Amino acid sequence: TRYFVDHRRVRVVGGQGGGGGQSFYSEPRKIFGGPDGGNGGDGGHVILKADQQTKSLSSVLPFYQGFHGERGGRKNCYGANGACVYVKVPVGTLVKEDGEVVADLTQHGEEYVAAYGGAGGKGNRFFLSNENRAPVLFTPGEPGQERVLHLELKTTAHAGLVGFPNAGKSSLLRAISRAKPAVAAYPFTTLNPHVGIVHYQDYEQVAVADIPGLIKGAHQNRGLGMAFLRHIERCRFLLYVVDLSVPQPWTQLQDLKYELEQYKKGLSERPCVVIGNKIDLAQSRINLPLLKDQIDERVIALSALTGDNLEELFLHLRELYDAYVKTEQSQGQSPVKW
């Protein structure tokens, strides 16, 4: 199963510079033509480039190295420079080194030189002087810069499905998009986030992330813990998925909001809607009016299994997305498009 990758550790090494050449010019009737060894070419850089078509860090490899520069040749010929290696990363990628942010690629086409290539060496022609008319000295190429970087994607999806294990988040994502997260009758089926795209008739696309289930104490790193609370932090609006078939389903919502607030203050106050799943069960129909009496948020009752009432979710999801786009544009920022 393909899943969303938002974190990568990458080792990058710039290409090594080519060594300088050592040679002396010689031809008939001009035996002592002097030194003519050219300089070596510079090594290639490793460059991170933000690309709008790339949505995940899954295609980023753990190691990249720039191409080496060529050695200097005879007749003062310089070696060719090594080619640069471009690594495509999604827009919104943070580049960290030793825990500090060194680059934030927020615009399409923006580049960051992750590792510089080494300078080429000097040929013996470079050391020609009045004092030394026949130098034999030449220098090797410099090694490329070597770094270990951590790439972190700060933008995952527009909406995040938040809920306890077995609330039906993966089934719901399968019902509204073409994503195929694993579905099974045991908790923590989803171990990695999945992102599905909801398509509308005007070609707008809303990205919905299936976040692994939270439990009480998730902010203390219990269960799957902190790593997935970080995913929720990046979503623009939240879809709370509540299992209507359990006794007192409103307590699930209270516990979820408490965990989000403990992780980051104000996180539970983002635009949201409560999705009451499993309405096809008899107990769920009894609990639905009780849930609406207990909470102030809008409740959309549906069944991810049978597809009942999915149309209402599609319409409200578009309303949340349009409100997000309008807010971003009013603040002079460009909304995230998929």
Side-chain angles (χ1 to χ4, degrees):
T1 303
R2 293 179 64 91
Y3 56 86
F4 194 87
V5 177
D6 78 324
H7 193 273
R8 272 282 192 263
R9 178 183 179 274
V10 183
R11 179 169 161 256
V12 289
V13 181
Q16 181 163 348
Q22 184 201 31
S23 64
F24 289 90
Y25 187 73
S26 178
E27 66 176 17
R29 297 183 298 278
K30 195 172 183 182
I31 301 173
F32 301 104
D36 68 347
N39 298 340
D42 297 334
H45 310 319
V46 179
I47 300 175
L48 304 179
K49 186 171 183 177
D51 181 58
Q52 205 166 11
Q53 301 301 319
T54 306
K55 302 302 181 185
S56 169
L57 294 173
S58 57
S59 61
V60 177
L61 302 177
F63 175 73
Y64 288 96
Q65 182 170 24
F67 291 93
H68 301 318
E70 293 185 4
R71 186 178 183 84
R74 300 184 60 186
K75 299 182 180 179
N76 296 321
C77 290
Y78 282 30
N81 293 336
C84 296
V85 172
Y86 286 88
V87 182
K88 290 184 178 181
V89 296
V91 174
T93 299
L94 283 176
V95 185
K96 294 184 178 181
E97 185 177 24
D98 298 328
E100 295 185 3
V101 177
V102 294
D104 188 1
L105 305 177
T106 57
Q107 300 294 328
H108 175 69
E110 194 173 353
E111 297 180 358
Y112 173 69
V113 181
Y116 285 94
K122 303 298 184 182
N124 64 337
R125 171 75 182 184
F126 178 82
F127 298 100
L128 178 65
S129 65
N130 290 333
E131 291 77 23
N132 186 1
R133 305 304 299 170
V136 295
L137 179 63
F138 66 97
T139 58
E142 299 268 342
Q145 184 183 17
E146 182 173 351
R147 303 169 73 186
V148 176
L149 302 175
H150 293 269
L151 307 183
E152 189 175 311
L153 185 56
K154 68 178 181 181
T155 303
T156 58
H158 299 117
L161 294 172
V162 185
F164 279 82
N166 283 116
K169 301 183 299 299
S170 298
S171 300
L172 181 59
L173 187 66
R174 277 175 168 257
I176 64 177
S177 73
R178 296 178 182 174
K180 300 297 180 186
V183 174
Y186 54 84
F188 299 115
T189 310
T190 304
L191 297 178
N192 294 286
H194 291 73
V195 176
I197 307 299
V198 181
H199 298 270
Y200 289 90
Q201 290 183 348
D202 59 352
Y203 302 106
E204 284 287 356
Q205 298 180 356
V206 180
V208 181
D210 175 19
I211 310 298
L214 301 179
I215 63 171
K216 287 185 179 180
H219 68 279
Q220 299 172 341
N221 222 15
R222 293 179 183 171
L224 298 179
M226 303 284 285
F228 301 111
L229 284 168
R230 188 179 73 240
H231 290 282
I232 300 170
E233 181 185 357
R234 298 175 192 146
C235 295
R236 300 304 191 274
F237 40 90
L238 304 178
L239 308 178
Y240 293 104
V241 182
V242 177
D243 185 354
L244 285 177
S245 63
V246 300
Q248 298 182 339
W250 53 88
T251 59
Q252 292 187 17
L253 184 63
Q254 295 169 359
D255 292 338
L256 289 171
K257 288 190 172 183
Y258 175 77
E259 291 301 324
L260 297 185
E261 281 297 314
Q262 293 300 310
Y263 176 71
K264 183 179 180 181
K265 196 165 184 63
L267 187 57
S268 66
E269 298 173 4
R270 293 192 180 176
C272 67
V273 64
V274 178
I275 299 173
N277 194 19
K278 305 183 183 179
I279 193 61
D280 52 308
L281 302 178
Q283 186 62 41
S284 300
R285 299 191 191 96
I286 299 173
N287 289 336
L288 178 59
L290 302 177
L291 175 64
K292 290 182 176 180
D293 292 339
Q294 291 287 335
I295 64 175
D296 299 327
E297 290 85 354
R298 177 176 177 176
V299 179
I300 298 177
L302 53 81
S303 172
L305 180 65
T306 63
D308 292 346
N309 207 26
L310 286 180
E311 188 66 28
E312 185 181 353
L313 175 60
F314 283 124
L315 294 175
H316 190 67
L317 188 62
R318 182 58 190 269
E319 291 175 10
L320 291 171
Y321 175 74
D322 290 340
Y324 154 69
V325 171
K326 188 175 180 180
T327 303
E328 291 288 302
Q329 291 176 345
S330 65
Q331 297 174 353
Q333 300 176 353
S334 57
V336 176
K337 297 281 187 177
W338 279 70

